[in-house]
Amino acid sequence: MQDPTKPKNISSKNRLSLIRPVPASHHDHCCGHDTHDHNHTKEHSHSAEDGHSHDHDHDHSHDGHSHGNDSAGWLSQWPLLLSLAVLVGMLVLEYGFTIKPPFPVDLIIFGVAYLLAGYNVLSLAFRKLKRLDIFNEFFLMSIATLGAFSIGSYSEGVAVMVFYSIGEWFQDVAVSRAKRSIKALLDIRPDEVTVFRNGQTLVVNPKDVQLNETIQVKAGEKVALDGELLSEQASFNTAALTGESKPDAKRTGEKVFAGMINLNTVSEIKVTSLFKDSKLSRILEMVQDATARKSQTQLFISRFAKVYTPIVFFLALAVCLIPYFFVDTYVFTDWLYRSLVFLVISCPCALVVSIPLGYFGGIGLGSRNGILFKGSNYLDVMTQVTSIVMDKTGTLTHGVFKVQQVVTDQSDKTEFIQLVAALESQSTHPIAKAIAEYAESQSDQNLKVERVEEISGHGLKGIIEGKEVLAGNTKLLKKYNITYPEDLHSLVDTIVVVAVNGNYTGYITIADQIKEDAAQAIKAMHALGLETIMLSGDKQTVADAVARQLGIDQAYGDLLPEGKVEKVQALKNAGKQIAFVGDGVNDAPVIALADVGIAMGGLGSDAAIETADVVIQNDQPSRIVSAIKAGKLTKRIVWQNISLAMIVKVGVLILGAGGVANLWEAVIADVGVALLAILNAVRIQQMKL
């Protein structure tokens, strides 16, 4: 990738996780930086038994500061709520009944309320001051509120601390819920599983099940571990992995994945992956990693906050002191009050909290629609894409091939099919599987197959009963200097050309089916002004036929994996922002090269999924457009928050310096903007793509 903020292939041992709600004592805050900058990564080790390790990335250290979280409930905030009640009571007495307690009674009452709301803030400010760290929210709020007390504005000092603390509490709750809601979308792994041991069934934790053990899944239960179906047949709901709830019928020997729901009969499954290595655990890891990778906007705001806070601090100092030299009627307490307004409005919480929250929302929105973004930076990159480059097989087509025709020069057609099927049975390629299935009733299991070699982008070579058999595309025969009829190039269907002992012996035509929403997806891409390009290892006539049917702008066939890389590199050199969509192992290099790599299918190639930046879980090309829309929605909300916060803050700063805005207005503006920005960010998850 070109973007340095886009790390690739991070191993599970070094995963970053922000999804799992962190304790309040470690929560992020907007200005504090506890002896490290805003982008420092702080690791907390967790048991590997969780199925993945976690490193919590803290943009802004909290250093023990706690406003609590939503799980602790309102009761955990009793000091803050009591302080609010005292403040409201005192204001009602003063302005409703014109009763104002005499000094020092009012100082004592407001002082107690102040300490109830601000003890943690004052404590943290003092601890940071000892390390000469004064450009943080805790120190600024402490100075502003203590300054208000020093000039007799007790109620305003308490109000600033109370509303600031309430704003921080709501921020904690919003961020915690956003993280948990993303995790909850996928963390549906069962807590127990039925396993056969020593002739009896035992209910155990899935983490305790070993490879090759047999588990039992009753109708309606979730599969806890990846494995192979031992029962004759079963039907599963795959919504957790693909986003599609339609039944998926499986037969003996077919793969079943954790998270699927058994729909009808009791099934037995042989375990092929440990709990921590299951497909669902890996998908969950991808989403958990996502919030740790920051967008350029988040990185900019973090850097901005580090510059913005000290500038406003010194401006506040200047507002208090400089007028002494120029204003004849200078009154220190009046200008001190104005500088306090500056300090209160200076905290960039609305920006630094709501922006990551907006990206959490974007990642959550994608997850709800079967789209996994591996980082918030990829939400941004999706909005910059100008060209969508797609693989054909498995991306635009189902990749489920059927044999259409068998043509051979040999007199014994059955022997021809048996030789080809014996060789193709050694490959996992969809075309090979189609031939093996077609020849299942005619195949000879006793044929001796040896020295099989898979030649990337060409086909297979092997020795069967002493005969050298080649099966693949025409490039394979050219590679071995074997002549074949030139009219093969005019065939529209995919063909597998066969040679035995150096002589061309015939071909098999294969047809694939275009996905139902492929044409709609291409049309939607064009509506967004995107260029569409298809790359295929299939021959050019097949690529052209599919491109015409779908309305794709450009199609290139006869491409080896390195040919696809060259095409994408050429597009990048032309200044285009490329999103490449693929599903196979041979697509991994191109996915890595593109500005944003998209893997098609949560059940597709492991290599493609590991390399991709975005994973489309349900195999639908239309989700590519949904991913772009999710990026644009997120970007729009984030910039709405930035604009709102900056306009209000600059306005209040000017009014405060001019003596128009008071501390009440400053704190309400600061907390109000933060809450509006949070609410705006949270609504992303409820939007429709």
Side-chain angles (χ1 to χ4, degrees):
M1 296 297 166
Q2 300 297 313
D3 188 346
T5 67
K6 296 174 63 178
K8 287 285 189 182
N9 296 332
I10 300 177
S11 68
S12 60
K13 291 183 179 179
N14 295 316
R15 298 281 186 185
L16 297 176
S17 172
L18 270 175
I19 304 287
R20 188 181 296 273
V22 296
S25 62
H26 291 138
H27 186 61
D28 304 355
H29 274 273
C30 51
C31 306
H33 40 92
D34 203 26
T35 70
H36 59 280
D37 68 29
H38 289 251
N39 296 316
H40 184 72
T41 299
K42 196 171 185 178
E43 295 188 356
H44 304 278
S45 63
H46 291 256
S47 169
E49 290 180 356
D50 290 342
H52 42 268
S53 59
H54 303 284
D55 304 310
H56 296 302
D57 178 297
H58 298 271
D59 294 355
H60 326 284
S61 94
H62 203 303
D63 198 18
H65 183 37
S66 172
H67 297 289
N69 55 56
D70 50 336
S71 62
W74 291 77
L75 291 178
S76 67
Q77 300 297 325
W78 70 264
L80 176 57
L81 297 174
L82 180 58
S83 177
L84 175 62
V86 171
L87 175 63
V88 171
M90 292 294 286
L91 292 175
V92 169
L93 285 176
E94 181 176 350
Y95 295 102
F97 301 96
T98 63
I99 299 173
K100 187 175 182 180
F103 180 86
V105 175
D106 58 346
L107 175 60
I108 293 171
I109 295 173
F110 280 118
V112 170
Y114 176 76
L115 290 175
L116 284 170
Y119 171 78
N120 283 331
V121 176
L122 294 170
S123 173
L124 281 165
F126 178 70
R127 284 157 59 184
K128 287 178 178 289
L129 179 61
K130 288 194 296 184
R131 294 195 293 269
L132 302 180
D133 176 9
I134 62 172
F135 300 121
N136 59 78
E137 58 179 321
F138 314 119
F139 187 77
L140 296 183
M141 285 298 162
S142 298
I143 292 295
T145 51
L146 291 173
F149 267 75
S150 71
I151 59 176
S153 299
Y154 306 143
S155 63
E156 290 173 297
V158 173
V160 168
M161 189 61 76
V162 165
F163 288 114
Y164 165 73
S165 297
I166 289 174
E168 294 293 287
W169 175 24
F170 285 178
Q171 290 167 18
D172 283 2
V173 170
V175 171
S176 178
R177 282 184 175 174
K179 292 173 181 177
R180 283 206 308 274
S181 69
I182 296 171
K183 184 170 186 279
L185 291 172
L186 289 169
D187 197 6
I188 56 171
R189 296 169 296 187
D191 296 326
E192 55 184 34
V193 61
T194 303
V195 62
F196 290 99
R197 286 179 183 167
N198 301 321
Q200 58 182 342
T201 58
L202 299 173
V203 177
V204 300
N205 191 301
K207 297 174 187 174
D208 299 329
V209 178
Q210 301 302 311
L211 293 177
N212 296 319
E213 286 196 295
T214 300
I215 61 174
Q216 183 185 75
V217 184
K218 298 181 179 68
E221 287 185 346
K222 289 174 185 170
V223 179
L225 299 151
D226 291 355
E228 291 180 1
L229 186 65
L230 296 179
S231 303
E232 185 177 344
Q233 61 180 18
S235 186
F236 297 90
N237 180 325
T238 64
L241 294 169
T242 66
E244 293 295 305
S245 58
K246 62 183 180 183
D248 184 8
K250 300 286 185 183
R251 293 188 175 276
T252 305
E254 291 192 309
K255 291 183 178 180
V256 178
F257 297 100
M260 291 181 172
I261 300 173
N262 189 11
L263 294 179
N264 42 35
T265 60
V266 176
S267 303
E268 294 180 7
I269 298 167
K270 184 177 80 171
V271 175
T272 57
S273 295
L274 297 175
F275 180 78
K276 64 185 179 66
D277 299 322
S278 70
K279 183 78 72 172
L280 187 60
S281 292
R282 289 178 53 242
I283 291 175
L284 178 58
E285 270 187 37
M286 291 176 198
V287 184
Q288 285 180 313
D289 293 344
T291 52
R293 301 180 189 177
K294 294 173 178 46
S295 68
Q296 290 289 348
T297 308
Q298 286 173 276
L299 294 172
F300 166 74
I301 291 299
S302 294
R303 292 192 296 267
F304 172 76
K306 292 199 298 186
V307 176
Y308 166 86
T309 305
I311 287 176
V312 174
F313 179 85
F314 286 114
L315 281 175
L317 200 61
V319 166
C320 180
L321 300 178
I322 291 179
Y324 173 80
F325 301 100
F326 302 101
V327 178
D328 295 334
T329 57
Y330 178 84
V331 178
F332 174 75
T333 54
D334 290 346
W335 289 97
L336 174 62
Y337 186 89
R338 296 184 186 189
S339 69
L340 297 180
V341 173
F342 245 71
L343 290 179
V344 170
I345 200 64
S346 67
C347 181
C349 294
L351 291 174
V352 182
V353 174
S354 68
I355 289 171
L357 193 57
Y359 284 104
F360 294 165
I363 292 168
L365 177 64
S367 296
R368 287 181 190 277
N369 288 274
I371 304 164
L372 303 183
F373 290 94
K374 290 190 182 178
S376 51
N377 46 330
Y378 305 125
L379 281 162
D380 275 355
V381 177
M382 287 301 292
T383 67
Q384 301 161 10
V385 167
T386 59
S387 301
I388 306 290
V389 182
M390 295 158 284
D391 177 47
K392 178 180 72 70
T393 305
T395 300
L396 295 171
T397 66
H398 284 287
V400 179
F401 293 88
K402 297 292 182 185
V403 171
Q404 304 297 309
Q405 187 181 19
V406 178
V407 178
T408 177
D409 294 343
Q410 291 185 341
S411 58
D412 191 344
K413 189 173 182 180
T414 301
E415 183 187 0
F416 173 78
I417 294 172
Q418 287 177 347
L419 285 174
V420 179
L423 182 60
E424 296 287 5
S425 66
Q426 306 298 307
S427 172
T428 58
H429 193 281
I431 291 178
K433 287 183 178 180
I435 294 173
E437 286 175 11
Y438 173 79
E440 194 169 3
S441 61
Q442 306 174 52
S443 63
D444 185 349
Q445 302 297 330
N446 297 319
L447 289 178
K448 185 180 179 182
V449 183
E450 54 189 341
R451 289 160 52 189
V452 175
E453 180 184 353
E454 185 156 354
I455 303 166
S456 180
H458 292 75
L460 295 172
K461 173 187 176 185
I463 305 297
I464 304 174
E465 295 294 326
K467 299 176 181 178
E468 184 185 70
V469 180
L470 298 175
N473 53 31
T474 53
K475 291 195 291 288
L476 179 65
L477 268 61
K478 284 181 180 177
K479 180 180 176 71
Y480 288 92
N481 298 315
I482 299 172
T483 58
Y484 58 87
E486 285 298 320
D487 59 1
L488 293 184
H489 292 292
S490 63
L491 295 174
V492 175
D493 287 339
T494 299
I495 62 169
V496 174
V497 186
V498 182
V500 178
N501 290 332
N503 296 307
Y504 165 80
T505 56
Y507 66 87
I508 298 173
T509 61
I510 309 285
D512 193 4
Q513 185 180 357
I514 292 174
K515 290 181 180 177
E516 293 78 5
D517 67 331
Q520 171 198 341
I522 300 300
K523 187 176 180 181
M525 291 174 197
H526 287 155
L528 292 174
L530 299 170
E531 178 186 27
T532 55
I533 301 167
M534 185 179 74
L535 306 182
S536 177
D538 220 330
K539 59 183 183 179
Q540 189 66 49
T541 53
V542 176
D544 289 340
V546 173
R548 280 194 300 272
Q549 189 173 344
L550 296 179
I552 294 172
D553 297 326
Q554 300 176 52
Y556 300 94
D558 296 309
L559 293 175
L560 299 175
E562 55 267 30
K564 293 181 181 181
V565 170
E566 290 170 5
K567 286 290 183 186
V568 170
Q569 187 61 62
L571 291 168
K572 285 173 64 68
N573 292 343
K576 297 178 180 180
Q577 290 285 315
I578 304 297
F580 180 84
V581 192
D583 73 319
V585 175
N586 62 344
D587 293 326
V590 203
I591 287 174
L593 176 64
D595 294 291
V596 57
I598 302 174
M600 182 60 71
L603 305 181
S605 156
D606 287 353
I609 293 169
E610 283 293 327
T611 311
D613 310 311
V614 181
V615 179
I616 308 291
Q617 286 180 263
N618 61 7
D619 273 341
Q620 293 181 341
S622 57
R623 296 296 187 188
I624 302 167
V625 178
S626 298
I628 294 172
K629 288 180 178 178
K632 290 187 174 183
L633 279 172
T634 303
K635 187 174 184 178
R636 188 174 73 208
I637 295 294
V638 164
W639 280 101
Q640 284 174 0
N641 287 347
I642 292 173
S643 302
L644 173 68
M646 293 307 299
I647 290 170
V648 172
K649 284 183 179 292
V650 170
V652 175
L653 285 172
I654 294 171
L655 293 174
V660 177
N662 59 29
L663 280 173
W664 277 102
E665 291 159 347
V667 71
I668 290 172
D670 181 52
V671 175
V673 167
L675 294 180
L676 284 174
I678 288 168
L679 291 172
N680 194 32
V682 166
R683 73 187 179 95
I684 294 178
Q685 290 196 54
Q686 310 306 322
M687 292 179 171
K688 291 185 179 180
L689 294 177

